[in-house]
Amino acid sequence: MENSPLPSHNFQDREGSWNPKVVAFCCNWCAYAGADLAGMTRRQCSTNVRIVRVMCSGRVSPGMILRALISGADGVMVLGCHPGDCHYRGGNFHAQNRVTMVKELLALAGIEPSRVLLRWVSASEGDLFVQTVNDFVANLHRLGPLGGSDGSAV
Amino acid sequence: MDLLSKLEQNGARKCVACGRCTFACPASQIGGEFSPRGLVERMILEDKIPPEKEIWLCMTCKQCTQICQFGVSFHELVREVRPTLLTSLPPEENHGGIPRVLERLSAVRKIRPSRQRWITSGIDIDQSSDTLFYVGCTPYFDVIFRYLRQDLLEMPRSAIRLLNACGIAPRVLMHERCCGHDSYWLGDVETFQRLAFLNVEALERSGVREILTFCPECMITWKQLYPKMVGKLSFDVRSVTEVVAKAIEEGILRLERNEEVYTFQDPCRLGRHSGVYEPPRQLIRSIGRLVEMPRSREMAACCGNSSFVNCNAMTRQWQLQRGKEALASGADRLLTACPKCLIHLTCGLAEGWVSMERRSIRIDDLYVIAASRLSKKA
Ligand code: SF4
Ligand code: SF4
Ligand code: SF4
């Protein structure tokens, strides 16, 4: 994924009925199971989110988050296990460092750092998953599309 | 433009296949299949752009063009064929492609970067000045490469301190975008065009008459690449080394000398691409003793990477070689005047090398060291 060609700036389809697009990287052991639980218990969840299952939140590199943003996502979530619960012991701490770095870069680049979110969601927290997604999407509605609301890239 | 006219325009059809370029080319020397001579030959004989990943190994360091006796501009030719390969055979991006994504984000008009947090107290900025200090990507690098060096932001700060000591308080842009240098050399024409127009537009009616840069890549972008894209610009572009060296010559600026011995890594964009060899040396001589490495000035060896693509184990070997060369020169410190040279060399020489040689050489930035020698009372 890291070396695939970048699609060209795709900020065009954002006029009129814009709806935020969210990429959520969910770790296999906690957050993804949490999302699963939310589905099985028929919680109502915003449909804006595209889930990418990763084995560990520590798998998510800053480059992946930034690529998601430039490829058309308005926000990116990284959801992993609670501290101490990581299946691989410390992957979620790596995730924390990386998200901090991405937020710092976004602030410099003139993009709201709140477009990237890191949260700990365990396998039993279906409700928390839904709440986190819905709040995040609501925030994106407030911020508007990434790259300008008039739909023009330049 | 078809391949034939690209070859024609860059003088490639005058190639006599002597092989000097391949002999001098870092990408060829560090191993692998890459050969400028071979590529020119194949392009001429086969009349097509060879679909080879090796094209991304070229660091556009201009060594081949410099050494060619027949006027072949191979680094330009490489750049011109890259757009056709960018999507079908993309380069391997290092660091997860972060630098490139940031460059592309800054090419979006509605996104307005706000990177001026590097400006700390103790440096004089004057927003009504007609001299602009263009900072470039270093604020990003400070975040990405903090694990390598904690002093990257000291580069622009020191450059400004030196300018202040010369009596110049420059202006800075509050929403400065990337210059687009890497997009240009990687063949991402679209991003480069956008950045060229956005950047020139931002300065057009600002009253700026001169741009000063400490990063050689920003310098060639403003000085050589933008005029190609948007026509003649109404301001001069100079490297901070040129300004400071002139002030030293005129006796306006005095730096404290000591016994330290330095050697200098000519950044390819400052040296071969711009012909600025003497000013950084004047600066070094004013703070200590300068010894040259065998490969210096026009023949300076590349720092091993360009545009953060295709960095590999062979790059390391190249950097190690350069490190040994610096060590053998007898210098205490290897100085450079480019944020990327500093990052790549620091990275390349960080591990492995101490254990192999049991000795090491410090690598630092010229501006930072020079600014530390500003007399306190001046
Ligand atoms: S140095 Fe010039 S003439 Fe010789 S092989 Fe290279 S491009 Fe051809
Ligand atoms: S520009 Fe440098 S790396 Fe590229 S072919 Fe020429 S000598 Fe080799
Ligand atoms: S030398 Fe180090 S910093 Fe430079 S591209 Fe290679 S890995 Fe990155």
Side-chain angles (χ1 to χ4, degrees):
Chain A
M1 179 205 173
E2 304 256 342
N3 290 321
S4 59
L6 290 168
S8 62
H9 304 281
N10 193 12
F11 295 101
Q12 275 83 357
D13 58 344
R14 304 191 166 199
E15 282 168 275
S17 59
W18 169 79
N19 229 333
K21 284 190 194 138
V22 176
V23 171
F25 292 103
C26 295
C27 90
N28 181 57
W29 307 101
C30 294
Y32 192 81
D36 222 20
L37 180 67
M40 280 190 296
T41 50
R42 296 173 166 266
R43 296 282 188 276
Q44 284 299 312
C45 183
S46 160
T47 51
N48 303 60
V49 57
R50 280 89 169 146
I51 293 181
V52 178
R53 174 158 63 157
V54 288
M55 288 311 282
C56 176
S57 56
R59 166 68 183 90
V60 183
S61 71
M64 284 161 77
I65 300 174
L66 289 167
R67 271 162 184 260
L69 290 176
I70 202 159
S71 307
D74 297 292
V76 176
M77 304 170 78
V78 180
L79 306 175
C81 306
H82 286 272
D85 287 351
C86 174
H87 193 77
Y88 309 97
R89 296 179 66 200
N92 45 3
F93 292 118
H94 289 296
Q96 191 161 37
N97 290 341
R98 287 170 191 160
V99 168
T100 307
M101 170 180 167
V102 168
K103 281 173 175 281
E104 198 176 343
L105 285 172
L106 289 182
L108 293 172
I111 295 168
E112 304 84 353
S114 65
R115 288 185 186 272
V116 174
L117 181 82
L118 175 75
R119 277 285 180 280
W120 314 131
V121 178
S122 81
S124 62
E125 293 174 324
D127 283 336
L128 181 64
F129 177 84
V130 171
Q131 192 62 47
T132 308
V133 168
N134 289 349
D135 288 352
F136 188 65
V137 171
N139 182 43
L140 288 180
H141 272 291
R142 268 193 302 280
L143 294 178
L146 175 67
S149 52
D150 63 353
S152 63
V154 168
Chain B
M1 196 166 39
D2 62 347
L3 183 60
L4 191 67
S5 42
K6 278 183 187 143
L7 291 168
E8 204 70 67
Q9 199 182 330
N10 295 300
R13 289 170 65 81
K14 286 184 265 161
C15 171
V16 299
C18 66
R20 283 171 70 99
C21 51
T22 300
F23 178 74
C25 167
S28 308
Q29 284 191 31
I30 56 182
E33 298 292 302
F34 184 76
S35 153
R37 188 203 62 79
L39 260 178
V40 169
E41 186 175 281
R42 266 200 315 275
M43 278 192 248
I44 292 173
L45 294 180
E46 296 167 17
D47 193 25
K48 65 170 202 284
I49 296 166
E52 287 170 12
K53 261 193 141 25
E54 269 72 36
I55 197 87
W56 302 112
L57 291 177
C58 169
M59 298 160 233
T60 60
C61 70
K62 209 180 168 185
Q63 184 71 77
C64 49
T65 305
Q66 181 80 43
I67 207 168
C68 179
Q69 304 287 296
F70 296 88
V72 180
S73 193
F74 185 73
H75 71 294
E76 286 288 349
L77 181 63
V78 162
R79 190 201 41 87
E80 280 178 21
V81 303
R82 279 179 169 181
T84 38
L85 297 173
L86 188 63
T87 41
S88 57
L89 205 64
E92 272 172 46
E93 293 188 34
N94 304 116
H95 304 286
I98 310 173
R100 287 262 295 125
V101 177
L102 291 169
E103 195 161 315
R104 291 168 45 116
L105 282 171
S106 107
V108 180
R109 182 185 284 278
K110 290 260 169 174
I111 298 176
R112 299 176 81 209
S114 158
R115 310 189 290 196
Q116 64 279 14
R117 272 189 294 165
W118 59 273
I119 304 169
T120 42
S121 61
I123 58 180
D124 285 338
I125 302 288
D126 174 6
Q127 292 302 68
S128 62
S129 167
D130 57 8
T131 301
L132 177 84
F133 181 83
Y134 188 84
V135 68
C137 290
T138 302
Y140 289 149
F141 296 158
D142 167 57
V143 180
I144 307 171
F145 298 105
R146 203 172 284 154
Y147 68 94
L148 276 177
R149 293 195 75 102
Q150 287 77 50
D151 62 347
L152 290 173
L153 288 183
E154 285 305 311
M155 300 184 70
R157 287 177 192 146
S158 302
I160 296 219
R161 277 184 206 117
L162 288 167
L163 288 175
N164 288 164
C166 303
I168 301 169
R171 177 198 308 205
V172 293
L173 286 176
M174 282 303 143
H175 299 287
E176 189 192 285
R177 294 172 193 273
C178 290
C179 66
H181 173 276
D182 288 358
S183 300
Y184 179 82
W185 291 101
L186 289 175
D188 182 352
V189 183
E190 190 191 337
T191 303
F192 178 71
Q193 262 173 355
R194 285 171 194 228
L195 283 169
F197 284 103
L198 285 169
N199 276 325
V200 172
E201 183 190 274
L203 281 196
E204 249 169 5
R205 277 179 298 277
S206 63
V208 166
R209 311 237 328 247
E210 183 171 51
I211 300 182
L212 301 180
T213 74
F214 74 99
C215 171
E217 300 198 337
C218 299
M219 174 169 159
I220 64 159
T221 307
W222 278 99
K223 195 168 182 160
Q224 299 170 23
L225 310 183
Y226 286 174
K228 273 199 235 171
M229 187 67 65
V230 298
K232 199 177 170 329
L233 302 178
S234 57
F235 30 77
D236 292 331
V237 185
R238 273 197 296 168
S239 158
V240 173
T241 55
E242 294 176 89
V243 180
V244 178
K246 191 153 163 268
I248 292 174
E249 207 173 277
E250 290 169 353
I252 300 172
L253 179 68
R254 269 189 61 120
L255 298 172
E256 278 166 18
R257 274 183 69 95
N258 65 16
E259 293 308 304
E260 207 164 5
V261 183
Y262 303 102
T263 188
F264 184 58
Q265 163 78 17
D266 287 271
C268 58
R269 265 62 184 161
L270 191 65
R272 280 188 291 272
H273 283 258
S274 309
V276 178
Y277 297 108
E278 214 34 58
R281 289 181 165 74
Q282 269 170 281
L283 211 62
I284 296 174
R285 281 192 218 101
S286 71
I287 55 171
R289 193 155 71 83
L290 172 70
V291 289
E292 296 282 3
M293 289 181 275
R295 295 178 293 176
S296 66
R297 303 182 76 105
E298 288 84 356
M299 292 304 289
C302 171
C303 67
N305 188 277
S306 170
S307 313
F308 299 104
V309 299
N310 284 70
C311 183
N312 56 30
M314 292 186 298
T315 311
R316 282 284 173 283
Q317 288 306 314
W318 177 260
Q319 288 162 334
L320 202 61
Q321 245 183 50
R322 188 59 164 165
K324 287 180 185 168
E325 196 177 332
L327 200 57
S329 73
D332 307 315
R333 239 185 253 263
L334 171 60
L335 293 183
T336 183
C338 167
K340 288 192 184 170
C341 286
L342 188 70
I343 291 168
H344 298 313
L345 285 175
T346 304
C347 171
L349 300 180
E351 339 110 33
W353 119 288
V354 181
S355 55
M356 285 174 74
E357 293 291 308
R358 303 209 176 279
R359 285 185 306 154
S360 66
I361 187 164
R362 274 179 294 181
I363 307 168
D364 275 301
D365 174 60
L366 172 59
Y367 299 103
V368 176
I369 299 297
S372 72
R373 303 290 175 72
L374 285 167
S375 343
K376 299 288 175 286
K377 48 186 181 309

